[in-house]
Amino acid sequence: MSRYRQDVEAIREEMIAWRRYLHQNPELSFQEYRTSAWIMERLREFGIEDVRLVAGTGVVARLIGSEPGGCVALRADIDALPIQEENDVPYRSRNPGVMHACGHDGHTAMLLGAAKILAARRKPMRGEVRLIFQKAEEVFPGGARDMIEEGVLEGVDAIIGTHLWSPMAAGTVGVASGPVMAAPDRFRIEITGRGGHGGAPQDTVDPILVGSQVVGALQSVVSRRTDPLDQLVISVCEFHAGTAHNIIPNQATLVGTVRTFREDVRRRVPEQMESIVKGICAAFGATYTFEYERGYAPVVNDERVARLVREAAEEVVGPKRVETMAPVMGGEDFSAYLQVVPGCFFFTGAGNPAKGARYPHHHPKFAIDEDVLPIGVEIFLTALDKLSESFHRRDGTR
Ligand code: NI
């Protein structure tokens, strides 16, 4: 048990109420106007004066302690998704077609919880705690980049963030050092053949046949051109072509995603993909265009920060309930902060079938076990102490 258990328990119900308010009033990425205003009101209510709006709809707050020490940032994302909620709960979304279906409502409630406790305890606090309520995590290029450009990381020594995670049981926590979330890139291939009658294929160049060969052959980049010990996913997720059962169309469009962890793998994949598209199109007499857009960088945790977060998590939930998380192939723009300062992104288990929290993230029935909110906050606060202590020791008088 950590020294924060009582403080955290005391605000459990309040955090759940905040989370429900946010759940009821979700806003899409880059449009979090009411959400950010509401967050600023809460922070000022807690007595935090240094609060400002950043990059339109992000919020940053600074809490300066009375003792010297490092500056640690805590980050929550605040945006919702374009999904019609199917949960029948009293606090279901009031905004049609928009839903907190990824748990960012819970992230925001947890960071507010940490803010309230820190604001009350500020006197003996060491160093600075920077609270980053980040806009637009769900939509590339993401809100982190804009907020970093506006200086939210200036003077920050380390950063911590968490994701509520419904595939993990409530009460467990996942922490790992090194790569934890992938780089999600996007591609689009347009294949142009020559349309014609479905009964006279000899007079056509069939882009559906060509596209099918491309879909199959792209997997050879994964299975035959990449070290089996490196992670790589190539998924064609859209294949559009054709208008009728007896017409061979002119064009086929393939859209998909590439997931990697290593920069060298990520860098060579587009070229290898295009060489396959080019070769197959040439063989069949089709032409093509190939577009590749790099998304977020992979989330790579710092070893030292991850070790301290792990120690904190072990104090909070017990060592047996802290897992060394295997990397997930989803993406997160928390990576943008990690490219500037060392940090750790960990996972707070939030699945609990008994409470209806059994659906995957981004599902219209997504739910979390709200009783895990105190766990995330307690880990934040415990890890903060450990980090600012370690900076203090390392930097002497800072
Ligand atoms: Ni999310």
Side-chain angles (χ1 to χ4, degrees), residues 189-243:
I189 301 163
E190 294 209 356
I191 295 166
T192 304
R194 194 171 64 245
H197 200 290
Q202 73 279 13
D203 297 330
T204 71
V205 173
D206 180 357
I208 294 181
L209 181 66
V210 178
S212 306
Q213 309 286 327
V214 167
V215 172
L218 284 178
Q219 293 311 319
S220 68
V221 175
V222 181
S223 66
R224 287 298 174 269
R225 299 189 75 180
T226 302
D227 185 331
L229 299 179
D230 285 335
Q231 295 92 339
L232 170 63
V233 175
I234 299 178
S235 294
V236 175
C237 299
E238 295 177 45
F239 191 145
H240 303 286
T243 51

Side-chain angles (χ1 to χ4, degrees), residues 316-380:
V316 173
V317 295
K320 286 196 185 126
R321 306 185 91 182
V322 180
E323 295 171 16
T324 302
M325 180 102 179
V328 294
M329 299 312 282
E332 239 288 348
D333 79 339
F334 190 77
S335 55
Y337 305 103
L338 295 179
Q339 299 204 302
V340 184
V341 294
C344 175
F345 192 67
F346 66 97
F347 296 84
T348 303
N352 189 345
K355 294 182 186 171
R358 76 186 100 191
Y359 294 94
H361 290 254
H362 297 204
H363 188 282
K365 289 188 174 169
F366 174 79
I368 54 160
D369 180 349
E370 293 170 321
D371 285 316
V372 309
L373 299 178
I375 294 175
V377 178
E378 202 177 335
I379 296 173
F380 270 161

Side-chain angles (χ1 to χ4, degrees), residues 77 102-104 107 137-138 163 165 332 361-362:
D77 41 11
C102 196
H104 301 187
H107 301 165
E137 187 281 324
E138 298 283 3
H163 210 300
W165 208 239
E332 239 288 348
H361 290 254
H362 297 204

Side-chain angles (χ1 to χ4, degrees), residues 21-58:
Y21 168 83
L22 292 161
H23 193 84
Q24 223 166 6
N25 297 281
E27 290 179 298
L28 291 174
S29 313
F30 297 103
Q31 299 169 32
E32 308 93 335
Y33 300 102
R34 284 185 308 151
T35 304
S36 51
W38 181 85
I39 290 168
M40 291 176 78
E41 268 173 46
R42 299 287 79 70
L43 293 169
R44 293 203 171 107
E45 237 172 49
F46 305 156
I48 304 173
E49 296 108 40
D50 193 344
V51 178
R52 68 187 172 97
L53 209 56
V54 176
T57 51

